[in-house]
Short mmCIF file of all heavy atoms in Angstrom, two decimals:
data_model
loop_
_atom_site.label_atom_id
_atom_site.label_comp_id
_atom_site.label_asym_id
_atom_site.label_seq_id
_atom_site.Cartn_x
_atom_site.Cartn_y
_atom_site.Cartn_z
N TRP D 258 37.07 -24.03 30.59
CA TRP D 258 36.67 -23.25 31.77
C TRP D 258 37.73 -23.21 32.86
O TRP D 258 37.67 -22.33 33.74
CB TRP D 258 35.37 -23.82 32.33
CG TRP D 258 34.17 -23.27 31.66
CD1 TRP D 258 33.58 -23.73 30.51
CD2 TRP D 258 33.39 -22.13 32.08
NE1 TRP D 258 32.51 -22.96 30.19
CE2 TRP D 258 32.37 -21.97 31.14
CE3 TRP D 258 33.47 -21.26 33.15
CZ2 TRP D 258 31.42 -20.96 31.23
CZ3 TRP D 258 32.53 -20.25 33.25
CH2 TRP D 258 31.52 -20.10 32.30
N SER D 259 38.68 -24.13 32.85
CA SER D 259 39.68 -24.17 33.91
C SER D 259 40.48 -22.86 34.05
O SER D 259 40.62 -22.35 35.17
CB SER D 259 40.65 -25.34 33.68
OG SER D 259 40.01 -26.57 33.84
N PRO D 260 40.99 -22.26 32.97
CA PRO D 260 41.75 -21.01 33.13
C PRO D 260 40.91 -19.90 33.76
O PRO D 260 41.40 -19.15 34.61
CB PRO D 260 42.16 -20.65 31.70
CG PRO D 260 42.13 -21.93 30.95
CD PRO D 260 41.01 -22.71 31.54
N VAL D 261 39.63 -19.78 33.36
CA VAL D 261 38.78 -18.74 33.90
C VAL D 261 38.51 -18.97 35.38
O VAL D 261 38.61 -18.03 36.20
CB VAL D 261 37.44 -18.69 33.10
CG1 VAL D 261 36.45 -17.76 33.77
CG2 VAL D 261 37.68 -18.25 31.67
N LEU D 262 38.18 -20.21 35.75
CA LEU D 262 37.90 -20.50 37.16
C LEU D 262 39.13 -20.33 38.03
O LEU D 262 39.03 -19.84 39.17
CB LEU D 262 37.34 -21.93 37.28
CG LEU D 262 35.94 -22.16 36.72
CD1 LEU D 262 35.58 -23.63 36.81
CD2 LEU D 262 34.91 -21.31 37.44
N VAL D 263 40.29 -20.72 37.53
CA VAL D 263 41.52 -20.58 38.31
C VAL D 263 41.80 -19.10 38.58
O VAL D 263 42.15 -18.73 39.73
CB VAL D 263 42.70 -21.24 37.58
CG1 VAL D 263 44.03 -20.83 38.23
CG2 VAL D 263 42.56 -22.75 37.58
N LEU D 264 41.64 -18.25 37.58
CA LEU D 264 41.89 -16.82 37.77
C LEU D 264 40.84 -16.19 38.69
O LEU D 264 41.16 -15.29 39.47
CB LEU D 264 41.92 -16.11 36.40
CG LEU D 264 43.15 -16.38 35.55
CD1 LEU D 264 42.99 -15.76 34.17
CD2 LEU D 264 44.40 -15.83 36.23
N MET D 265 39.59 -16.66 38.60
CA MET D 265 38.55 -16.16 39.51
C MET D 265 38.90 -16.48 40.96
O MET D 265 38.80 -15.64 41.85
CB MET D 265 37.21 -16.78 39.15
CG MET D 265 36.53 -16.20 37.93
SD MET D 265 34.90 -16.94 37.69
CE MET D 265 34.39 -16.13 36.16
N ILE D 266 39.30 -17.74 41.18
CA ILE D 266 39.65 -18.16 42.54
C ILE D 266 40.88 -17.39 43.04
O ILE D 266 40.92 -16.93 44.19
CB ILE D 266 39.91 -19.67 42.58
CG1 ILE D 266 38.63 -20.44 42.24
CG2 ILE D 266 40.44 -20.11 43.93
CD1 ILE D 266 38.82 -21.93 42.08
N TYR D 267 41.86 -17.22 42.18
CA TYR D 267 43.07 -16.49 42.57
C TYR D 267 42.76 -15.04 42.92
O TYR D 267 43.35 -14.47 43.86
CB TYR D 267 44.09 -16.55 41.43
CG TYR D 267 45.42 -15.88 41.76
CD1 TYR D 267 46.36 -16.51 42.54
CD2 TYR D 267 45.71 -14.60 41.27
CE1 TYR D 267 47.57 -15.90 42.84
CE2 TYR D 267 46.90 -13.98 41.56
CZ TYR D 267 47.84 -14.63 42.35
OH TYR D 267 49.03 -14.01 42.65
N SER D 268 41.81 -14.42 42.20
CA SER D 268 41.49 -13.02 42.45
C SER D 268 40.84 -12.79 43.81
O SER D 268 40.88 -11.69 44.34
CB SER D 268 40.55 -12.51 41.35
OG SER D 268 39.26 -13.08 41.47
N ILE D 269 40.25 -13.85 44.37
CA ILE D 269 39.61 -13.72 45.68
C ILE D 269 40.64 -13.64 46.80
O ILE D 269 40.46 -12.93 47.79
CB ILE D 269 38.65 -14.90 45.92
CG1 ILE D 269 37.50 -14.85 44.90
CG2 ILE D 269 38.09 -14.89 47.34
CD1 ILE D 269 36.59 -16.06 44.95
N PHE D 270 41.77 -14.32 46.61
CA PHE D 270 42.75 -14.42 47.68
C PHE D 270 43.97 -13.50 47.47
O PHE D 270 44.73 -13.26 48.42
CB PHE D 270 43.26 -15.86 47.81
CG PHE D 270 42.17 -16.83 48.14
CD1 PHE D 270 41.58 -17.62 47.17
CD2 PHE D 270 41.73 -16.95 49.45
CE1 PHE D 270 40.58 -18.52 47.48
CE2 PHE D 270 40.72 -17.86 49.78
CZ PHE D 270 40.14 -18.63 48.80
#
Side-chain angles (χ1 to χ4, degrees):
W258 275 86
S259 292
V261 172
L262 290 176
V263 168
L264 287 174
M265 284 184 183
I266 295 172
Y267 182 79
S268 70
I269 296 174
F270 299 99

